[in-house]
Structures are given as C-alpha cells and as structure tokens.
Amino acid sequence: MVIEFLKSSPLLLELVRAFIAILLALVFVLVNAIIFIYLERKVWARVMQRMGPTYVGKWGILQLIADLIKVLGKEIIVPAKANKFAFLSLPIFSTGLALALMIVVPFDYIVAYTLAALEPIYHGFVIFKYTVVSNSFSSGLFLIFALLTLNPVFILLIGWISNNKYTVVGGFRAAAQLLSFEIPLLISLASVIILAGTFNLYEIVEKQSKIWFVFLLPLAFILFLITAIAEAERTPFDIPDAESEIIAGWNTEYSATPFMMLIFGMYVRAIISAALISILFFGGWHGPELPGFLKPITGPFWLSVKIYFFMFLLILIRSAYPRYRIDQLLSISWTKLLPLSLINIILVIFVKYLSISYGII
Amino acid sequence: MVNMQQEVRTLTINVGPQHPSTHGPMDVIVTIEGETIINADIRLGYIHRGIEKLCETRYYFQIPAYLSRLCYVSGMFWEYGFVRAVEEIMGVKVPERAQWLRVISCELTRIASHLIWLAAYAADLGLLTGLSWGLRDRDRIIDALEMLTGQRMMFTYMVFGGVRYDMPAGFQDTVEKSLKYVESHLPDWEKLTIENPIFRARTENLVPVSASYAIELGWTGPMLRACGVKRDLRRDEPYDVYETLDFEIPTGKRGDTLDRVYVRIEEIKQSIKIVRQAIKRIPSGPYQHRALLYPPPGIGYGYVEDSRGECGYFVVSDGTPRPYRVKIRSPAYVHVMSLPKLIKGIKLADLYAVLGSFDPCLGEIDR
C-alpha cells in the first residue's frame, strides 16, 4: 500500500529516492573509511615489519572503534586566541564538503542494480530501480569540480583561525598545493568528459561497457592519479600537514572530536580519489559476471574490488616515498603536469574520432 | 611604519624545544619569508646536566657510568674516550684481547648508531617506513651488545686497563647472525633512501659544503668525509688494533646531504667488515689489566672516532681520587653550531633535511 501511495505522488517518490541515495552513500563512506584506516594501519605495518593493531578484537579489527570511543571522550581544547565559534564549526564544513563529494558518486546505482535483480522475490524493490544520482545528477562532474575548489578555502580558514604560526604555514601550503593541482586535475578530467560526451558519472561508466577509458586515455589516468593523491593530501604530497616539519600543519591546534572529523575528512577524500579513479578510468561496476547466486552483486563486487585496489596502491605509495618540498611540488604541477594535461586534451580529440569510427565507445 | 611592514612580511618560528624533528630538546629560531629562511639562530642547553662538573665530584671508576649517558645511542665511544684519557695518564698497557673486544664493541655501537640515525632521518623526510626498519635492524645489534655487556644502552663496559667482561660463549655466532641480518637489509635501505627518486630530489645538492669550508667549520667524522676529506682517526692516528685491520674509508663527492646519507650507509658496511675480522682474529689471554684506582698527577687526552666525529676528552689529574678537570669535545656540537651559517636562503622544509643529516645528539651537545 505504501508503494502504491509513493507511486501516485512523483515528488514524494523522488524525495524518498534522494533520501535513500544520500543514506546509502553515507553508509558506504562511513564503513569504507573505517575499513580504509584499518587497512592502512595493517598494510603499512606489514611494510614496516610491524604487527599493526592486534589486541582489540580478532586481528585488531575493533581497534578503530576503540580509538573512536577514546577520541570522543577527549577534551576539546580551543586556543585562547582563536575564534571559538569559527574554530569549532569549520571542521564540520570541511568534513561535510568531503562527504558531499561522495553523494555525487553513483553508489546508489549499484544498490539499485542489486535490488532490481531481487525483484522476482519482492516487487516493492522496483521503486528504487532508477535512483537519484544516476538519473538526476547530469552535472555530477561539475559538482565535483565545485566542491574540490571550495576545499582549500576551508583549509586556509582553519589554518588562519587557529591563530598559530604552524597552522598558518600549513594553511598557506595547503592553499598553494591544492589550487595549483586543481588545474591539471580539472584538465585531465576534461579529457574524460570530451571522450564520454557527458558530465554524468553514471553515463560515463556506461560508456565504458566495451573498453575502459584507461586504455584510451593512459596519460589522463596517470595525471589524475598524481593530482588525486595531492588533492587527498597524502604522501608524497602530504606537505600541508607534514608532521616532521610543521607539527601537523593546518590541523595542529585541533583535538578530540573536531580533530577526528578533520582526519576522517581526509580519509574520505582518499576514498573518493580511489572511487573516482575506478569510475572514470576503470569501468566502474563493469566486469565479468559472477556465477550462480552471486550474480546480483556483480556490480558492487567489481566496484569494490577496483576501489580497494586503488586504496591499496595509495597505502603502498605512502609507505615507500618521503614527501616533496613545496616548491618542488609547485614546479611539478606547473611545469610538468599542466603542459602534459594540455597535450592530453589535444590527444583526446583524435582518440574520440578514432574510437567512434571503430565503434568502441 | 616601515618596521611594521617588515614584520608582516616575515614570520619567526621556534622549531623546538619540543619538535618532532630536532632529535631532542633544542631550539632553532628561524625567520621565514614565505617558505624561505632568511635568518636562523640556535639555542641549546635544555638538557644540560653539568656532566663535566659532575665528573670532578666522582671517583674515577664511577665516571664512565655517567659518560655513557652523554649519547644514549653511542654510549660505548663516550666511556671509551674517557678511559683512554685516564689510561694515558696511568700509562697502562691494555691486554691485546681487551683491545680486540673494544674494537668489536665500538664497531657494533657504530652500526647501531648509524642505523638509528637512518631511522630518524627517514622519518624527518616523511618516510616513516624507515623509522621502523632502522629500529628493527638496530635491535639485533643491541642484542649482540647485550650479550657482551649485559646492557642494551648504558653499557659501562670500558674499565681502566681493559673491558669489564670477557666474551661469553656463543658470542661469535650471535654477532654473525646479527651482522647477517643487518647486511641482508642494506640493499633495501639503499633502495629506500639513496636510490629513491623523491629522496634524491629532497637531498641532492642540498647545502653542499666544500672540503676546505668543512675543515674551517671544524667538522669531523662522516660529515667531513661526505665533503671528500679522507680523515678518520682509526686510520690517521690509529689506536688499539685498527692498524692491523683491513677497512676502507668511504668519502662523498659533493658534500651535500645525499652524500652524508651515502657515507653513513657505507660506514655500516665497513663496520660490519671490521667486526667480522675482529671476531675471527681475536686472541686468547686476559681481558683486563689490573690498573690503579686513580691516576697519578698529569694530563691526558683521549680521542676516539665516534659515530658522529672525533670525540675527545681532556683530563687533568692532581693525584686525588677525583679528576681535577674533565673537558669534553663533542663533534655534534660543532656540527650543529655551523647550521645557521649554512641554511640561509633554503626552504623551511629543507631545514629538517639538513639538521637531521647532521646527526644531532642532544645528550652530548648539551652535556
């Protein structure tokens, strides 16, 4: 009866779908952020020939929950000279921005895909078949650009408002790094948009049903990988929060829950980097169909495999390299990545012409 | 008004006394403009314990226990330097087995010290994997030293006229096992540091120092050898049995930060070589000579090639059971105090790369 009612009012149905899409994306991010942090601690520990967390739970899997409870119980210290309202509200914006990025990524499609396969069992699932993100976010990549561009503003503000020399230096480093890496990032993404002819991430994935874009745009993939690591502020580009240089950079003054939120936001950005790489270049949920009863989860399975592969890659890169200096980083961005991404834009025109004439996209 | 504008453009940062990269409580006051260092000053003395003065109030045989606290990663050299100075006043002839044991223990300490430096330096550059690897490798060396001396850090192994304990049974095997373990990881170390493209980008041609300027600054040890000067007390003014040992003195070419890393990694290899020879050639006999409790009046200078440079002790004895004066020459102090001259004009991030490469050990700098 509820389903009948929903079907009778399209606006309400759309609202329910939007709500469910946001909820699914958030659940996915929260679960994966925790898994990612655990994975990083374990894998990095193995590279270092340590054990990593072992005591809380089997193989230390409950360690992060213990850490979470510990951090929530800490005192929130606000520096005497800082503006209290701004100091405490900025982490919410910064983390919210990172989470907002996640909603654009069409995770709800893969859930809808799974639910649609279960339709013979329960007819009610059909209303979730076409979900909000894949249907309505025709400007999905535009939104990602916009949200990424907002990020340095908040980081600079956080560094400034903390009223500490290290945070100011970290904030300026972050602003310089993120602003200069956004340009090659956007231009390398532009080549994907030209090739796919759409801003919608769902349609971009569907275009890759025959061939993954990584084979058509290898240069764009490499550029995007480098810039995405820089955007996520991870080693070798973790210059804004270089712990051995400027303590913790722009988040030096934060403690307890706000600190946890900032760190969480950084991990969410790393996951988004991994998710965007797998969606834009590695065919998203496309992959060989799983046998038997596993068939409904083919999409989610392949997407997760790809995302975790890139997470793993990010962890290994972090464990093997020291960090660049800020001026080296800027010169890499302006003298190497930017010209290469412009060359890539020219290349993609020929690639698109050829691939349309061979009928592979 | 002009002054105010000046202040807005520059920023003064206290790197320390509590900072992850100063390797101890030490304060580097840097003035930066943007990211460029325009001025730097060093403030030391946060862990000054008055060890030189303390030595004047203690009996001679008590003093080495204090001196191994000077540098807690290479304590063996520091007690050894003092013991050598006092032995010079006494005129004691040290038994040959003791000399060999001193070489073994000192070279093992040198390996451990360089490994912990590598660990800390990698962490300075953001390579936290190196931190863990260094401690892992050092632990095996410390195991061997523990077997020999009964201690893992504050050895108090050197006594006037010999060493405190003889080599225990099975020591050779333990040492060989430890050395093999360290040696097997050295190629990994080279890949992680001197062959790593980002590591090279950070350290290559960073603060190159010419040989003549390094001598002018009073540098010794690996820092001087990185500048291309073949100076090593073990070869130039040999003590103990170093003349009879076969080892090379690695030197750098450009004198930059990368060369300092390279020289130290090569020195680990040479020390492994020395310990292997010493373990094979060690003769039997007494390991301790019955020495006086305290020396007759006189002055003595004891020098040792420390893992950081030339460690020196100037001891004045007036015939009483306590020394009249003990002066310590710390190589790391000389190196660190030359830092402000070298870092003007480099970037803030490079300060840590340079300071770390000096191997500052605040215990011996502040004394």
Side-chain angles (χ1 to χ4, degrees):
Chain A
M1 200 188 77
V2 178
I3 292 155
E4 294 304 313
F5 174 67
L6 281 175
K7 274 179 178 169
S8 63
S9 56
L11 186 67
L12 199 63
L13 185 61
E14 207 59 23
L15 271 175
V16 169
R17 281 173 177 172
F19 180 74
I20 287 168
I22 291 165
L23 204 67
L24 288 175
L26 274 177
V27 168
F28 185 87
V29 175
L30 288 166
V31 170
N32 277 289
I34 289 173
I35 295 173
F36 184 35
I37 299 171
Y38 173 76
L39 199 69
E40 178 162 82
R41 289 178 70 167
K42 265 313 208 199
V43 172
W44 201 10
R46 289 301 164 145
V47 175
M48 286 175 148
Q49 305 210 338
R50 289 185 292 118
M51 292 298 287
T54 46
Y55 285 96
V56 191
K58 184 87 176 160
W59 305 308
I61 41 175
L62 297 178
Q63 180 66 47
L64 283 158
I65 294 168
D67 285 349
L68 179 80
I69 292 164
K70 183 194 76 177
V71 171
L72 288 176
K74 295 270 179 191
E75 185 190 353
I76 299 172
I77 299 165
V78 183
K81 283 183 183 171
N83 181 332
K84 194 175 177 185
F85 175 74
F87 184 80
L88 291 178
S89 58
L90 278 170
I92 299 169
F93 288 115
S94 177
T95 313
L97 213 58
L99 288 172
L101 275 169
M102 214 64 197
I103 294 166
V104 185
V105 182
F107 289 119
D108 60 343
Y109 168 75
I110 55 170
V111 180
Y113 174 90
T114 311
L115 291 179
L118 296 174
E119 209 193 329
I121 306 165
Y122 181 60
H123 293 283
F125 285 132
V126 74
I127 63 156
F128 304 119
K129 198 169 173 185
Y130 302 105
T131 47
V132 161
V133 175
S134 33
N135 251 14
S136 318
F137 275 29
S138 54
S139 54
L141 269 178
F142 254 144
L143 197 61
I144 288 176
F145 292 170
L147 293 174
L148 280 179
T149 324
L150 261 178
N151 192 27
V153 179
F154 282 104
I155 289 179
L156 189 56
L157 268 176
I158 286 171
W160 189 260
I161 218 95
S162 304
N163 218 335
N164 177 315
K165 285 169 181 172
Y166 288 112
T167 60
V168 171
V169 173
F172 278 118
R173 280 181 172 193
Q177 171 178 334
L178 298 181
L179 286 175
S180 63
F181 266 78
E182 241 144 47
I183 296 159
L185 176 81
L186 300 193
I187 296 176
S188 61
L189 276 186
S191 64
V192 176
I193 296 164
I194 292 170
L195 192 62
T198 173
F199 282 97
N200 191 335
L201 285 167
Y202 164 75
E203 285 170 25
I204 290 175
V205 176
E206 287 306 312
K207 288 262 180 194
Q208 299 178 58
S209 54
K210 279 180 195 152
I211 185 164
W212 294 353
F213 281 175
V214 66
F215 300 117
L216 300 176
L217 302 165
L219 186 59
F221 162 65
I222 292 163
L223 290 170
F224 187 77
L225 181 66
I226 295 169
T227 48
I229 294 170
E231 283 292 322
E233 286 178 41
R234 291 177 63 81
T235 315
F237 305 114
D238 63 337
I239 296 157
D241 53 345
E243 68 284 329
S244 60
E245 291 168 14
I246 45 173
I247 320 296
W250 49 273
N251 55 30
T252 301
E253 289 289 353
Y254 280 92
S255 58
T257 322
F259 174 72
M260 190 191 71
M261 286 178 70
L262 288 174
I263 295 296
F264 183 69
M266 281 158 80
Y267 275 100
V268 167
R269 270 186 279 153
I271 293 169
I272 290 163
S273 303
L276 281 180
I277 292 167
S278 41
I279 281 176
L280 294 173
F281 294 99
F282 284 82
W285 45 80
H286 289 304
E289 211 157 72
L290 294 181
F293 70 98
L294 289 173
K295 201 180 159 219
I297 59 156
T298 302
F301 174 79
W302 285 114
L303 188 60
S304 301
V305 164
K306 285 163 190 172
I307 290 173
Y308 275 96
F309 174 79
F310 285 105
M311 283 182 187
F312 204 73
L313 190 70
L314 290 179
I315 295 167
L316 289 184
I317 288 173
R318 185 176 188 182
S319 61
Y321 287 107
R323 73 174 68 81
Y324 271 116
R325 204 170 59 213
I326 183 80
D327 59 318
Q328 291 172 336
L329 177 97
L330 297 184
S331 85
I332 286 170
S333 168
W334 292 106
T335 63
K336 296 202 175 76
L337 297 183
L338 187 60
L340 279 175
S341 55
L342 289 172
I343 291 167
N344 183 48
I345 284 282
I346 299 164
L347 279 179
V348 73
I349 299 167
F350 299 103
V351 171
K352 179 154 190 180
Y353 177 78
L354 286 174
S355 41
I356 286 176
S357 49
Y358 284 105
I360 49 174
I361 58 167
Chain B
M1 221 45 207
V2 176
N3 260 342
M4 247 182 86
Q5 273 184 337
Q6 197 76 27
E7 268 176 36
V8 169
R9 279 203 294 123
T10 63
L11 190 67
T12 305
I13 291 184
N14 280 41
V15 180
Q18 288 165 356
H19 189 281
S21 287
T22 54
H23 298 219
M26 153 187 171
D27 198 357
V28 186
I29 305 158
V30 288
T31 311
I32 54 170
E33 188 181 336
E35 284 267 335
T36 312
I37 297 171
I38 56 172
N39 206 356
D41 196 9
I42 286 189
R43 207 185 280 163
L44 295 170
Y46 287 95
I47 54 164
H48 175 63
R49 295 150 294 174
I51 284 190
E52 286 179 1
K53 188 71 190 164
L54 203 61
C55 290
E56 294 170 20
T57 67
R58 293 290 185 271
Y59 296 118
Y60 276 95
F61 62 86
Q62 292 177 322
I63 292 171
Y66 283 97
L67 297 178
S68 57
R69 269 90 176 153
L70 274 174
C71 181
Y72 26 78
V73 293
S74 64
M76 195 71 84
F77 296 108
W78 288 96
E79 50 194 75
Y80 186 30
F82 179 75
V83 166
R84 273 175 57 76
V86 174
E87 277 170 359
E88 195 190 316
I89 308 173
M90 287 175 174
V92 180
K93 176 99 179 61
V94 182
E96 212 185 338
R97 188 174 172 82
Q99 291 187 16
W100 284 97
L101 280 171
R102 284 176 173 188
V103 168
I104 292 169
S105 58
C106 278
E107 293 305 322
L108 284 176
T109 311
R110 192 187 309 279
I111 299 169
S113 172
H114 280 340
L115 280 172
I116 207 158
W117 172 79
L118 267 174
Y121 189 58
D124 281 351
L125 292 178
L127 191 60
L128 289 172
T129 306
L131 179 68
S132 187
W133 283 12
L135 293 170
R136 169 198 71 187
D137 291 352
R138 169 184 178 261
D139 212 52
R140 296 299 181 96
I141 301 292
I142 295 295
D143 283 347
L145 279 169
E146 186 187 12
M147 199 171 173
L148 186 64
T149 67
Q151 298 286 331
R152 290 178 75 83
M153 276 173 91
M154 313 302 177
F155 306 106
T156 327
Y157 184 57
M158 304 292 181
V159 294
F160 307 130
V163 291
R164 192 173 293 279
Y165 308 111
D166 197 2
M167 216 161 61
F171 179 64
Q172 279 103 328
D173 296 339
T174 310
V175 168
E176 185 53 39
K177 236 183 261 171
S178 302
L179 294 182
K180 249 190 198 140
Y181 188 79
V182 174
E183 208 172 26
S184 68
H185 288 124
L186 281 177
D188 287 352
W189 271 112
E190 284 175 358
K191 269 177 212 150
L192 193 73
T193 55
I194 55 179
E195 285 168 19
N196 188 329
I198 299 179
F199 192 93
R200 285 185 81 99
R202 281 299 301 278
T203 55
E204 206 162 18
N205 288 324
L206 176 64
V207 192
V209 179
S210 68
S212 57
Y213 192 49
I215 292 167
E216 200 180 306
L217 289 170
W219 283 9
T220 48
M223 298 279 288
L224 185 64
R225 292 195 279 275
C227 302
V229 184
K230 233 177 181 159
R231 163 85 179 164
D232 194 321
L233 288 182
R234 291 174 292 174
R235 189 203 59 167
D236 296 342
E237 286 165 50
Y239 48 94
D240 287 345
V241 287
Y242 276 115
E243 314 170 77
T244 65
L245 287 164
D246 167 39
F247 64 98
E248 283 151 34
I249 298 162
T251 52
K253 288 191 190 80
R254 298 174 300 268
D256 59 0
T257 311
L258 184 65
D259 272 351
R260 287 169 215 145
V261 183
Y262 164 78
V263 164
R264 287 196 175 95
I265 290 178
E266 288 300 312
E267 272 185 25
I268 293 175
K269 289 180 191 166
Q270 295 303 324
S271 288
I272 289 172
K273 205 168 143 189
I274 293 173
V275 175
R276 285 227 169 100
Q277 291 174 44
I279 283 289
K280 272 198 202 102
R281 289 170 53 186
I282 186 162
S284 55
Y287 61 94
Q288 216 177 44
H289 179 79
R290 195 168 282 274
L292 296 167
L293 262 180
Y294 55 92
I299 52 173
Y301 182 71
Y303 55 87
V304 173
E305 181 71 32
D306 181 22
S307 56
R308 288 172 183 75
E310 295 177 12
C311 115
Y313 278 92
F314 185 66
V315 181
V316 180
S317 159
D318 56 357
T320 56
R322 300 179 176 90
Y324 177 75
R325 178 79 174 93
V326 176
K327 170 76 182 81
I328 300 166
R329 193 249 181 223
S330 154
Y333 178 78
V334 178
H335 298 155
V336 165
M337 288 316 278
S338 62
L339 183 74
K341 288 195 178 73
L342 299 171
I343 58 170
K344 272 172 203 166
I346 64 169
K347 295 280 181 281
L348 179 65
D350 282 342
L351 167 67
Y352 311 103
V354 176
L355 178 62
S357 76
F358 284 13
D359 198 0
C361 178
L362 270 294
E364 62 168 270
I365 291 170
D366 287 347
R367 302 199 272 279

